[in-house]
């Protein structure tokens, strides 16, 4: 291995996914010299194995489902999807798993890319083992930001090593449609990938340990998605745990605690995430290797004045858009501290406080129907001690929903703090609701009084009239 001299930067970023890129962008915008270390592809999990390829797989399935609900169009779209075309389009969205374009963007903002595996080697120090055998030491004058994300967490099951199961990476990058697919899990990845591969022609069996799908959302969200998956031909089984797996020739066999034997061509485990911090040198600075990073609202690691944990590694909100939000906050905080600003704006909703992580995390699940939520569910609001009222509306009662699709099925719930008369959370389930969630996010973040929301007039006839129905239900309750 070739030793190189130490190089000093103002900021060193570990991980070049969307989160690391945004930290680097904010640091460079403040005039700070910045190094970015990446061991795989610049652009990270989201660009190549998560958000972008998964939505490229899902978009044709959702578009076809929507078209089949429109009179005059339904008969024209009864055939199967062109799986080869869908997979090719997915490949285009991932740039065929090359990162030339992303590297060009980093060059454009003036950040310096160091290819290789980066590890902390003491305070403000990162060593990089390059693919060409070089060994580089980077020192950070002001901050090191750990933005290494998460990896799929596989259960400790007998036979799993021999089965070669899919994780989210294989599920979003596979180049052939399995005839039969077992999906183990009930969260977002499980629901979305079951939707995508069922639409592409797989016979999907979904094995869910809990009571239903999407357990972090209002219960009706998972219920409606499960109903739709079942109607599409998937076999959804809840209250089932996989106890062992084996591969018999080309067939995967999953054994369950209920004594069932489920066979398929492939098996996907979507059973959780673990931080990518096991081999980045955390122990060299007194932290636990492989652990989540505990941070304050400026994303600085608790107990440190130079180390930041941004994005999934801090376990606050494992979503790309939330990680990018944290990166903007962290970048602003790093820049302010580097400039010697004596007092940062760390009060709730301040420029250096990631308050939305606690109060207003938005999410869209791209199933059919879509499920979207922001803020607190009813159970979360009650658990937090708020005095609340929840109102529910059948989405089919909205004129725009009826125009969007024949037989439109969906539901909306608004959770209101009755003491302050502000919206704490909103959940929407139904075709096309993903594009509605930002209005709810603005209402929650802005703490807009319900009395003022009365004056936000929804256009007719759009699905956004659900806001009017919700406000009427709250007024009349």
């Amino acid at each position: 291995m070739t030793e190189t001299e130490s190089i000093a930067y103002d900021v060193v970023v570990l991980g070049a996914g969307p989160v690391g890129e945004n930290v680097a962008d904010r640091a460079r915008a403040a005039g700070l010299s910045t190094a970015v270390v990446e061991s795989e592809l610049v652009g990270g999990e989201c660009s190549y194995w998560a958000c972008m390829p998964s939505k490229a797989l899902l978009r044709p399935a959702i578009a076809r489902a929507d078209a089949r609900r429109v009179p005059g169009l339904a008969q024209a779209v009864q055939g199967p999807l062109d799986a080869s075309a869908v997979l090719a389009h997915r490949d285009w969205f991932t740039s065929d798993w090359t990162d030339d374009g992303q590297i060009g963007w980093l060059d454009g903002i003036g950040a310096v890319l160091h290819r290789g595996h980066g590890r902390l080697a003491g305070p403000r120090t990162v060593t990089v083992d390059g693919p060409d055998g070089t060994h580089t030491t980077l020192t950070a004058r002001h901050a090191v930001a750990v933005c290494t994300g998460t990896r799929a967490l596989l259960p400790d099951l007998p036979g799993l090593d021999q089965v070669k199961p899919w994780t989210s990476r294989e599920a979003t990058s596979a180049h052939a449609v399995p005839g039969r697919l077992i999906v183990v899990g009930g969260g977002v990845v499980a629901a979305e990938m079951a939707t995508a591969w069922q639409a592409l022609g797989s016979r999907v069996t979904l094995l869910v340990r809990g009571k239903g799908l999407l357990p972090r959302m209002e219960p009706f969200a998972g219920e409606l998605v499960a109903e739709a998956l079942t109607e599409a031909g998937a076999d959804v089984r809840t209250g089932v745990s996989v106890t062992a797996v084996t591969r018999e020739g080309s067939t995967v066999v999953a054994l369950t605690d209920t004594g069932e034997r489920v066979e398929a061509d492939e098996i996907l485990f979507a059973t959780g995430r673990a931080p990518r911090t096991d081999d980045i040198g955390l122990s060299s600075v007194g932290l636990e290797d492989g652990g989540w990073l505990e941070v304050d609202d400026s994303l600085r690691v608790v107990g440190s004045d130079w180390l930041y944990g941004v994005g999934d590694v801090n376990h606050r909100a494992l979503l790309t858009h939330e990680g990018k939000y944290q990166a903007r906050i962290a970048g602003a905080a790093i820049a302010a501290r580097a400039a010697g600003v004596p007092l940062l704006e760390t009060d709730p909703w301040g420029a250096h406080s990631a308050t939305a992580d606690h109060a207003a995390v938005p999410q869209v699940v791209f199933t059919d129907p879509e499920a979207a939520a922001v803020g607190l569910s009813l159970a979360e609001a009650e658990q937090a001690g708020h005095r609340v009222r929840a109102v529910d509306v059948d989405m089919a009662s909205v004129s725009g929903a009826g125009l969007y699709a024949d037989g439109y099925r969906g539901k909306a719930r608004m959770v209101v703090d009755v003491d302050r008369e502000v919206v704490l959370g909103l959940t929407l389930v139904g075709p096309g609701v993903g594009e509605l969630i930002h209005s709810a996010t603005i209402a929650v973040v802005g703490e807009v009084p319900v009395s003022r929301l009365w004056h936000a007039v929804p256009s007719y006839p759009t699905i956004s009239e659900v806001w009017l129905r919700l406000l009427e239900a709250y007024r009349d309750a």
Side-chain angles (χ1 to χ4, degrees), residues 11-34:
V11 179
V12 176
V13 179
L14 275 179
V19 176
E21 288 177 329
N22 274 269
V23 172
D25 185 44
R26 291 297 84 208
R28 288 297 302 131
L32 301 175
S33 61
T34 304

Side-chain angles (χ1 to χ4, degrees), residues 38-55 57 90 93-94 97-99 150 167-174 189 193 273 276:
E38 177 55 55
S39 61
E40 292 188 291
L41 296 174
V42 176
E45 200 79 10
C46 175
S47 298
Y48 305 104
W49 300 287
C51 313
M52 298 310 293
S54 68
K55 303 316 171 277
L57 292 173
R90 182 272 318 271
F93 263 100
T94 64
W97 290 274
T98 61
D99 58 3
T150 58
T167 67
S168 53
R169 283 199 169 195
E170 289 77 20
T172 55
S173 63
V189 172
M193 290 298 93
R273 308 289 296 179
R276 289 179 178 270

Side-chain angles (χ1 to χ4, degrees), residues 78-146:
Q78 289 304 313
L81 293 173
D82 183 339
S84 295
V86 173
L87 296 177
H89 192 233
R90 182 272 318 271
D91 294 351
W92 181 85
F93 263 100
T94 64
S95 302
D96 290 306
W97 290 274
T98 61
D99 58 3
D100 295 349
Q102 301 271 12
I103 293 172
W105 181 85
L106 273 184
D107 290 341
I109 66 169
V112 179
L113 174 65
H114 290 265
R115 290 275 197 188
H117 189 98
R119 296 179 181 86
L120 292 166
R124 293 185 171 84
T125 304
V126 173
T127 60
V128 183
D129 294 330
D132 56 357
T134 59
H135 180 78
T136 306
T137 299
L138 311 178
T139 57
R141 299 183 187 93
H142 299 293
V144 174
V146 176

